[in-house]
Amino acid sequence: MKNFVLKKNTGIPMLENVDLSQTIPNDEYKKSMKTLEVKLGALQRRAWELKIPIILVFEGWHASGMGEDINRFILPLDPRGFDFHTMTRPCYDDRLKPFLLRFWELIPVKGRIGIFDRSWYSRAIIELFGKEKGEKGEKALENILEEITYFERQLADDGYLILKFFLHISEKEQKERFKEIKKKDIPLILDEYEGKNGKELDFIEQYEEYLPVVEKILEKTDSPNAPWTIVEANDRNFAVLKIMVTVTHAIETSIEKITRTPGQQTIKYLDIATTNLPVLNGSTLEKTDLSKTISMEEYRESKKLYQNRLEALQYELFRKKRSVVIIFEGWDAAGKGGGIRRLVEELNPRLYRVVPVGSPNDTEKAHQYLWRFCDAIPLAGHITIFDRSWYGRVLVERVEGFCTEEEWGRAYREINEFEKILVDAGAIIFKFWLQIDKETQLERFESRRNDPEKNWKITDDDWRNRNRWNDYKVAVDEMLQKTSTTGASWIIIESRDKRYSRAKILKTVVEAIEEELKKN
């Protein structure tokens, strides 16, 4: 297989410079495939044992033979170990969510292979092309490519092996293949190409117009952790063998890296009590004034006023297709449940959802940690309230050692990127930290324990977490400092007085939404 010497990635070549004349004779192809099929099957089983998740993305020109090439590639694989996704037009609900969420939901569990017959890249091109022109279109494409880079880097950092293939043929070859397709009268394929709105048809007939867009995408999204491989696809034997060799080599390398030296793979958990943490610029929590109170009369007036305004606002949000994400974090017994209840008391349940977040189950643990939250992200015009959230990665998972220091350390950036994607899609984000002191928490714990109607609220975990108050305080301060961004800043709620806390939450949400909707 001398034609398939893998070279160090030195960047994506201009497509016009790719040598499309390469071919493989049938006898050499069959001999090589026989060896590779056995090897690929064994590597798939080994990757499953080691829980290595693999994502294979296939893109390319229409009529490049992608369907046939993928089919030849997957034949030696155990079908129980991979998921195949053909990406078609987004449905109505998909269009009401941020662009990438439908793909987040499809990433494979650890140990499985996810194969994408077209992906986030095709949808980005088709959705953008024809909508925006000139500088506006360029900016829109840059934003989507930035979001895709976040997405792929986060998966790669979590151990996903990502390989991306672009099947390249010449414009002349494409036209010849279209003639053959039309001769065979395959309406299903032609319908998929053409589409109801003609955008897929543009992708067929405007090769020269799409060429610089495709080249830009390949250049901007080629990275060591998610590399593009250009597949010369004029000759289908050559194309399939190149895909097989590239995947085999990459899986072998990944397995070798993981199994090389057991001592180097030891996970070191952070012990906050014995680790010298970086000194922060003072404690945000310690500066909180917990003496703030509100009278019962003021509370009732404020509650009625803002609940009525919020009731009207939810319909305005629906009309303008603006989603709202509200996150509640805070100390145990700080009043998250009470704050949420007053927030939704007068709302239409068809337009909001409360999502309680607990420990991840086995399926959720087998995915990247943000995966389990994607389904709960609200549709445009809807509200989702999270009772605890993805911040568990930098709080409980950090403090209790459920993830490594490297994992929670990079989570600050990952969370900021995730929230930026939501904001860029039009979401209004509120992040509340409900602050109380240790003495107030003890009073509420004891009150719950002694009240038969409320003692279900107090658990052994609550008492255990209380014993690590100082560790959590360090984690919270760092979280507030590193994840308070322009589009998604933290709001500290002084919660020693429950009435004050609930009134502030309502007032903050209502006034911020009103101000945001004035911009539209």
Side-chain angles (χ1 to χ4, degrees):
M1 297 185 356
K2 59 184 179 181
N3 292 318
F4 289 91
V5 176
L6 290 171
K7 298 179 181 179
K8 184 177 180 181
N9 185 11
T10 56
I12 292 296
M14 298 292 285
L15 291 178
E16 62 185 14
N17 296 328
V18 174
D19 181 7
L20 294 174
S21 66
Q22 301 188 71
T23 61
I24 291 287
N26 280 332
D27 55 345
E28 185 178 341
Y29 168 77
K30 291 177 182 178
K31 181 179 178 181
S32 299
M33 281 295 288
K34 187 174 181 180
T35 302
L36 284 168
E37 286 174 351
V38 174
K39 192 168 189 177
L40 186 59
L43 288 171
Q44 180 194 15
R45 293 187 291 274
R46 183 59 173 146
W48 171 255
E49 292 172 1
L50 295 171
K51 300 300 180 187
I52 301 173
I54 302 170
I55 293 176
L56 305 178
V57 170
F58 290 89
E59 293 285 357
W61 297 109
H62 286 296
S64 61
M66 193 152 50
E68 181 180 342
D69 294 349
I70 294 174
N71 188 52
R72 291 191 198 180
F73 167 75
I74 65 176
L75 285 176
L77 296 177
D78 185 335
R80 296 170 295 180
F82 71 83
D83 301 299
F84 183 81
H85 306 288
T86 300
M87 303 315 302
T88 55
R89 300 179 194 89
C91 67
Y92 177 75
D93 281 0
D94 290 332
R95 292 182 183 278
L96 294 178
K97 282 192 174 186
F99 167 74
L100 278 170
L101 286 196
R102 68 185 291 227
F103 302 106
W104 262 110
E105 294 169 359
L106 297 177
I107 62 173
V109 301
K110 294 181 178 178
R112 292 181 67 85
I113 301 174
I115 301 172
F116 290 85
D117 177 6
R118 301 212 178 275
S119 66
W120 35 97
Y121 290 101
S122 284
R123 295 322 311 178
I125 294 174
I126 292 169
E127 291 299 309
L128 279 175
F129 216 88
K131 279 186 178 180
E132 305 289 355
K133 299 294 184 182
E135 290 186 10
K136 197 171 182 181
E138 286 284 322
K139 181 61 177 176
L141 180 59
E142 291 284 352
N143 288 342
I144 283 184
L145 296 184
E146 181 182 53
E147 292 178 8
I148 288 173
T149 302
Y150 296 162
F151 172 59
E152 292 177 346
R153 186 180 64 222
Q154 290 178 13
L155 293 175
D157 286 348
D158 199 50
Y160 281 75
L161 173 61
I162 303 174
L163 300 174
K164 301 179 298 192
F165 298 94
F166 186 86
L167 276 63
H168 182 44
I169 57 176
S170 65
E171 186 177 14
K172 179 181 177 181
E173 177 70 17
Q174 186 188 57
K175 289 178 179 178
E176 291 298 319
R177 292 187 183 184
F178 282 147
K179 290 179 183 178
E180 292 299 315
I181 289 172
K182 290 177 181 178
K183 283 181 184 178
K184 293 178 181 178
D185 189 22
I186 310 176
L188 178 63
I189 293 178
L190 290 177
D191 286 346
E192 175 60 25
Y193 285 157
E194 293 174 2
K196 295 179 180 179
N197 55 17
K199 289 179 183 175
E200 276 80 356
L201 185 60
D202 287 342
F203 203 176
I204 292 175
E205 296 186 339
Q206 299 181 28
Y207 187 104
E208 287 298 323
E209 192 170 352
Y210 273 94
L211 182 61
V213 178
V214 171
E215 287 185 330
K216 182 173 184 177
I217 289 173
L218 296 176
E219 178 187 357
K220 293 289 187 180
T221 59
D222 182 55
S223 68
N225 289 330
W228 279 105
T229 297
I230 306 299
V231 178
E232 301 85 344
N234 274 16
D235 180 78
R236 282 173 172 159
N237 287 349
F238 186 91
V240 173
L241 275 183
K242 184 165 185 178
I243 293 167
M244 292 284 283
V245 170
T246 303
V247 173
T248 300
H249 176 76
I251 297 177
E252 276 185 317
T253 301
S254 183
I255 290 172
E256 192 274 335
K257 182 179 178 181
I258 288 175
T259 59
R260 184 185 307 137
T261 306
Q264 293 179 348
Q265 301 302 319
T266 302
I267 297 176
K268 296 181 179 179
Y269 294 106
L270 177 69
D271 183 353
I272 293 179
T274 60
T275 302
N276 293 321
L277 291 168
V279 177
L280 301 177
N281 296 324
S283 169
T284 302
L285 300 181
E286 287 182 354
K287 297 174 183 176
T288 305
D289 181 5
L290 295 178
S291 66
K292 294 180 179 180
T293 62
I294 189 173
S295 69
M296 178 61 77
E297 183 179 355
E298 289 175 307
Y299 169 66
R300 287 174 177 167
E301 290 178 0
S302 178
K303 177 172 172 285
K304 182 178 180 180
L305 171 65
Y306 288 110
Q307 283 184 340
N308 289 340
R309 284 164 65 177
L310 186 58
E311 181 185 14
L313 281 172
Q314 69 173 333
Y315 298 112
E316 185 69 12
L317 288 164
F318 184 75
R319 281 190 291 270
K320 293 189 174 182
K321 299 302 180 188
R322 295 295 300 274
S323 62
V324 177
V325 174
I326 305 175
I327 292 170
F328 280 81
E329 295 283 357
W331 298 105
D332 293 328
K336 294 183 292 295
I340 293 171
R341 180 180 174 184
R342 273 68 181 182
L343 198 59
V344 304
E345 207 162 22
E346 300 297 329
L347 296 184
N348 185 334
R350 294 176 179 174
L351 297 178
Y352 81 85
R353 177 184 179 188
V354 177
V355 179
V357 177
S359 301
N361 59 35
D362 290 342
T363 300
E364 292 165 343
K365 288 178 182 177
H367 285 87
Q368 202 266 6
Y369 71 98
L370 289 170
W371 174 84
R372 66 174 173 143
F373 302 102
C374 291
D375 182 60
I377 297 301
L379 303 177
H382 292 245
I383 300 170
T384 296
I385 300 169
F386 290 92
D387 183 356
R388 300 202 183 279
S389 65
W390 40 86
Y391 284 97
R393 171 59 54 125
V394 295
L395 294 176
V396 64
E397 292 183 37
R398 165 184 171 166
V399 174
E400 302 299 335
F402 296 147
C403 63
T404 66
E405 182 176 1
E406 191 275 332
E407 287 172 331
W408 63 253
R410 71 169 185 260
Y412 300 117
R413 183 197 69 217
E414 294 170 344
I415 288 170
N416 289 341
E417 292 171 347
F418 183 68
E419 291 174 353
K420 183 179 184 296
I421 288 172
L422 302 184
V423 171
D424 287 348
I428 305 169
I429 299 181
F430 297 91
K431 301 189 298 191
F432 294 118
W433 175 265
L434 273 61
Q435 175 65 9
I436 56 175
D437 53 48
K438 202 171 182 180
E439 293 72 22
T440 300
Q441 185 188 63
L442 179 59
E443 291 174 6
R444 294 181 183 178
F445 275 16
E446 291 177 341
S447 174
R448 289 179 177 183
R449 181 175 57 185
N450 298 329
D451 185 342
E453 295 183 0
K454 293 184 178 181
N455 58 21
W456 60 271
K457 290 185 175 183
I458 190 76
T459 67
D460 291 340
D461 284 341
D462 293 329
W463 289 104
R464 187 172 56 82
N465 292 342
R466 176 176 165 76
N467 291 332
R468 303 199 67 175
W469 179 281
N470 291 335
D471 294 338
Y472 275 101
K473 179 175 169 295
V474 171
V476 173
D477 267 319
E478 191 165 357
M479 175 194 76
L480 296 174
Q481 183 188 60
K482 292 188 174 182
T483 61
S484 195
T485 61
T486 302
S489 60
W490 279 101
I491 302 159
I492 297 180
I493 303 295
E494 303 85 346
S495 298
R496 183 189 289 167
D497 181 341
K498 291 183 179 181
R499 292 192 296 267
Y500 179 87
S501 172
R502 294 163 184 173
K504 182 175 178 177
I505 291 167
L506 277 164
K507 183 175 186 292
T508 301
V509 170
V510 169
E511 292 183 347
I513 292 176
E514 288 175 340
E515 188 64 30
E516 186 65 28
L517 292 181
K518 287 178 183 177
K519 300 176 184 178
N520 289 357

